Amino acid sequence: MATTDTAHEAAKAGMPQLDFSTFPNQIFWLLVTLAVIFFVLRTVALPRIGGILATRKGQIASDLAAAEELKHKALEAEKAYNAALVSARAEAGKIVAAAKAEIQADLNAAIAKADAEIAAKTAESSSRIDEIRAAASEVVASVAKDTAAELVVALGGAADARAIEAAVTARLKG
Amino acid sequence: MAATEHSEGLTFHPLDQFQITRLFGEGPIHWYTPTNATLWMAIATVAIIVVFVLGSAKRSMIPGRMQSLGEMAYDFIYKMVEDVTGHDGVKYFPMIMTLFVFILFTNLLGLLPTSFTPTSHIAVTAILGFGVFLFVTLLGLAKHGLGFLGLFWMSDAPLILRPIIAVIEVISYFVRPVSHSIRLAGNIMAGHAVIKVFAAFAPLILISGIGVLVTPISILAIVAIYALEVLVAFIQAYVFTILTCVYLKDALHPGH
């Protein structure tokens, strides 16, 4: 630093802070400086920075609110999607059940029809069997009568047609 | 100052950096003379305008570096005022912000080599300290009248002790501006002087053999103390500001 003004310094000999002759100067310029800084801060800088901070705070708050709303919407959409999925499943189940029921009904009708046909055929067949059986038994009876009459004749008896018929009929029944 | 006479010896001028000198020409220093104090206060003012006015000129939603600095300082002091003094103290925020940025910027700019630090002068800090004291006292009296004197009357202390406590409180109240201003000037001055003392030891290597040992140590010490002084520059600005807030709180809410 300054080495030339040692004489000047030696005259004052001590802390420059205690050199009262410079006090008015420092105080004057300090007050000027403070006034300028205060004026600048108060009228320009602080309102502006405060405004920026407030705007940003508002922006962040509204962005957060918007994000919250979007999240809400997304949740709702998911819910709606799930509901649609459930109802679609239920619908599908219903359609499957209806189709099953229809098929079952068709099947039942077909089975019933087939059963009826089978029953009809069975009845027809059994009546035919009965007829055949009846015819067969008639033939058996007539054959038996004829045979009996022939036997009676062959044995030398008189073939009483009425008696033979009664006897044969009694035998056939037994 | 005998050492200054020898051209060979070490020169110790730790207090030279605090000299107030005329910026232009020779002659006495009048109250209006532009001096180095004027210059560095002006530089501080310009720096403050650059950071707080030009820095925020774009009003960016996403701040740049300058604007971030301004916003951080704003937020820091605003919260301090609000926390310490309450909501009714917020209207004094511009005043407190002025004190903070003035002290902070002059402290930090004063750390530049060959610069001058206005806050190392008791004349400056005394005006700041007594200015705060006067403002706060007059504000308290204006707001609460004689009720402001309740500040000194500890209503929750035993009755016998109250007068004694009141005397102590009154003394401590009037010591406030002294400690408030000397703390700042003392810290800044001491730090700068110590750096200067170590700096004076640094060239010893050119003069004597012992300098091989002394010079590196003193240079390391300068670095360490410089770092400390950067911290002190912040801390003293902070301490001055928060004490101002505390005094303001006492004026606004004198009850204990």
Side-chain angles (χ1 to χ4, degrees):
Chain A
M1 283 280 286
T3 45
T4 47
D5 55 358
T6 42
H8 177 67
E9 192 210 2
K12 283 175 181 166
M15 289 167 66
Q17 277 87 346
L18 299 179
D19 177 2
F20 294 101
S21 69
T22 63
F23 274 32
N25 180 275
Q26 291 192 62
I27 290 166
F28 168 69
W29 288 111
L30 171 68
L31 294 179
V32 169
T33 307
L34 288 179
V36 171
I37 295 173
F38 182 75
F39 177 77
V40 168
L41 287 185
R42 180 170 191 154
T43 55
V44 185
L46 297 183
R48 188 191 284 169
I49 294 174
I52 293 168
L53 291 177
T55 313
R56 184 175 308 138
K57 210 173 178 185
Q59 183 71 45
I60 288 170
S62 75
D63 282 1
L64 280 179
E68 190 64 31
E69 204 188 308
L70 286 177
K71 193 179 157 195
H72 203 71
K73 271 187 186 161
L75 278 178
E76 256 173 22
E78 201 194 335
K79 222 181 265 174
Y81 167 76
N82 280 337
L85 204 63
V86 166
S87 76
R89 268 201 192 122
E91 194 67 23
K94 255 186 226 162
I95 289 168
V96 167
K100 259 189 193 159
E102 208 174 299
I103 289 166
Q104 192 65 46
D106 282 357
L107 198 61
N108 284 347
I111 288 170
K113 197 176 163 197
D115 278 352
E117 270 172 22
I118 289 166
K121 284 245 170 91
T122 308
E124 197 182 322
S125 304
S126 66
S127 72
R128 287 256 327 263
I129 288 166
D130 285 351
E131 248 170 55
I132 291 166
R133 194 176 278 161
S137 61
E138 245 169 63
V139 171
V140 166
S142 75
V143 168
K145 275 175 211 161
D146 286 353
T147 310
E150 289 297 323
L151 273 172
V152 169
V153 171
L155 289 172
D160 183 1
R162 197 164 294 203
I164 287 166
E165 198 177 326
V168 169
T169 309
R171 273 283 180 178
L172 283 174
K173 273 181 187 164
Chain B
M1 301 285 167
T4 60
E5 306 304 325
H6 310 291
S7 55
E8 287 288 300
L10 295 176
T11 52
F12 288 95
H13 293 297
L15 299 180
D16 267 11
Q17 58 182 321
F18 304 120
Q19 286 290 352
I20 307 273
T21 53
R22 288 176 66 101
L23 277 184
F24 312 106
E26 294 286 324
I29 293 168
H30 300 290
W31 59 269
Y32 53 84
T33 314
T35 59
N36 50 354
T38 316
L39 174 68
W40 286 94
M41 286 189 209
I43 291 175
T45 309
V46 170
I48 288 163
I49 290 172
V50 167
V51 171
F52 288 91
V53 177
L54 302 185
S56 66
K58 280 194 280 181
R59 299 163 199 261
S60 315
M61 189 52 80
I62 297 155
R65 291 176 198 189
M66 280 292 195
Q67 196 182 320
S68 283
L69 275 180
E71 286 175 10
M72 270 164 61
Y74 181 101
D75 232 28
F76 180 60
I77 301 303
Y78 192 89
K79 287 226 171 69
M80 185 197 286
V81 174
E82 203 174 31
D83 288 350
V84 176
T85 64
H87 281 294
D88 43 355
V90 166
K91 66 176 157 196
Y92 306 105
F93 166 61
M95 186 194 92
I96 291 168
M97 187 74 179
T98 304
L99 285 176
F100 177 74
V101 292
F102 173 76
I103 297 170
L104 181 66
F105 276 73
T106 47
N107 283 355
L108 287 176
L109 289 167
L111 284 171
L112 296 174
T114 75
S115 71
F116 174 82
T117 319
T119 42
S120 67
H121 273 263
I122 194 72
V124 167
T125 59
I127 291 298
L128 295 176
F130 280 90
V132 168
F133 176 78
L134 270 182
F135 176 80
V136 158
T137 307
L138 293 178
L139 183 72
L141 287 173
K143 285 228 170 212
H144 305 282
L146 286 178
F148 180 59
L149 300 178
L151 184 63
F152 307 119
W153 197 250
M154 288 280 197
S155 48
D156 48 356
L159 191 59
I160 313 166
L161 288 178
R162 279 186 214 169
I164 304 166
I165 292 176
V167 170
I168 297 171
E169 287 283 323
V170 168
I171 294 171
S172 84
Y173 188 81
F174 283 96
V175 169
R176 273 178 180 183
V178 179
S179 65
H180 203 190
S181 48
I182 289 180
R183 181 184 301 112
L184 176 57
N187 267 287
I188 301 304
M189 192 199 113
H192 285 237
V194 168
I195 288 180
K196 207 69 184 175
V197 168
F198 278 112
F201 275 114
L204 196 65
I205 196 165
L206 303 173
I207 299 162
S208 145
I210 194 82
V212 178
L213 204 67
V214 173
T215 300
I217 290 174
S218 55
I219 289 171
L220 278 177
I222 290 168
V223 173
I225 292 172
Y226 194 93
L228 182 70
E229 283 309 298
V230 174
L231 198 64
V232 167
F234 273 106
I235 289 173
Q236 288 307 317
Y238 172 74
V239 166
F240 194 96
T241 315
I242 201 160
L243 282 175
T244 305
C245 290
V246 170
Y247 300 161
L248 188 62
K249 189 212 80 181
D250 281 347
L252 296 173
H253 315 283
H256 274 282

